[in-house]
Amino acid sequence: MNPATLNDYVLLSALLFAIGFFGVLLRRNTLVVFMSLELMLIASTLALVAFSRHNGTNDGNVFVFFIFTVAAAEVAVGLALIVALFRKRHTIQLNELNSLKN
Amino acid sequence: MAPFLFTFFSLFTIATAVGVVVNKNAVNAAMCLLLSLVGVAGLFVQLDAYLLAFILLLVYAGAVVALFLFIIMLLDTHDSKAQGLNKLSGVAPLAALGLLLAGVSTFVAKGKLATSDLLTVPAAGANLKLYAYQLFTTYLLPVQVIGFLLLIAMLGVIVLSKKHEGLDDTK
């Protein structure tokens, strides 16, 4: 078996991103959509770490550090928004949130 | 040993990521997300980014997934009987997924990314001192901006979770 190369890591991160993207488009539950978004973020950090490792620099890793911080803030605000939404509409299914339709 | 570990962790991560998307129950999806994050943390260790692997486990697996579980319990979402996807909204994600996968796999297969073993390059990410040095010199301004962002996020959450009287726009 060959050792893992940069190509393998980039392919894996792209696959993970595609799965998250699929989840965002397919699911109706807002919480699961949000989880898929997190999956996409993680996929991008995996690519950054792999490139950083390949180039022998640390800048990519520092960016990942920042991405984690932003993601933590995003989760806090996003979940607060979902709770506020549930208080108003009593549902978090995306296909029932259609009051702008007519 | 390393190639085996890469294969194991990558398959584990992909399988649990699929689990997040296809699980009907939101709690099971959150648990799959947790496992997927553990797999990615294993890959980070393979890439010698030990600090990031640890932070991933602490912040994501520890805090974010726990927060998700709290909200799932709080909202108690009864899955609304999966009223069959209508045709367009079922096909569109599949088409998008196929296009994305085709584009990326072509890029990876034909791209001129280096195919040499990653282990021939010295690992900068294993050096904890380097993180501290860069965060306090090159990236000093981003660190302060991020601190401010966290403050704003905290204030935003407090405002959002307050009850506002007289702003109710439902019937």
Side-chain angles (χ1 to χ4, degrees), chain B residues 59-115:
Chain B
V59 173
Y60 265 92
V64 169
V65 175
L67 205 57
F68 266 114
L69 286 173
F70 272 129
I71 299 297
I72 293 169
M73 284 193 299
L74 188 69
L75 298 191
D76 186 27
T77 60
H78 49 285
D79 251 348
S80 61
K81 289 296 158 271
Q83 62 276 54
L85 300 166
N86 68 39
K87 233 179 214 134
L88 188 63
S89 64
V91 169
L94 276 177
L97 179 71
L99 283 176
L100 194 59
L101 281 183
V104 165
S105 54
T106 315
F107 169 70
V108 172
K110 301 214 172 152
K112 296 284 188 286
L113 291 178
T115 48

Side-chain angles (χ1 to χ4, degrees), chain B residues 93-160:
Chain B
L94 276 177
L97 179 71
L99 283 176
L100 194 59
L101 281 183
V104 165
S105 54
T106 315
F107 169 70
V108 172
K110 301 214 172 152
K112 296 284 188 286
L113 291 178
T115 48
S116 61
D117 186 2
L118 284 178
L119 299 178
T120 54
V121 183
N127 186 355
L128 203 54
K129 229 182 230 173
L130 196 53
Y131 283 99
Y133 180 76
Q134 286 195 315
L135 282 177
F136 281 100
T137 53
T138 321
Y139 297 103
L140 187 56
L141 180 65
V143 168
Q144 303 204 346
V145 172
I146 286 282
F148 197 66
L149 177 81
L150 283 175
L151 177 69
I152 298 289
M154 191 182 76
L155 292 178
V157 170
I158 293 172
V159 170
L160 278 174

Side-chain angles (χ1 to χ4, degrees), chain B residues 6-29:
Chain B
F6 173 76
T7 316
F8 172 74
F9 278 120
S10 51
L11 288 180
F12 182 75
T13 308
I14 293 292
T16 46
V18 170
V20 174
V21 174
V22 298
N23 250 319
K24 284 264 173 263
N25 190 340
V27 177
N28 289 348

Side-chain angles (χ1 to χ4, degrees), chain A residues 53-88:
Chain A
R53 174 76 181 82
H54 177 259
N55 288 322
T57 60
N58 200 34
D59 298 72
N61 291 340
V62 175
F63 284 147
V64 172
F65 197 83
F66 290 133
I67 291 176
F68 283 166
T69 321
V70 174
E74 175 224 330
V75 166
V77 176
L79 287 177
L81 277 174
I82 292 176
V83 172
L85 186 71
F86 185 76
R87 274 207 203 128
K88 272 200 187 309

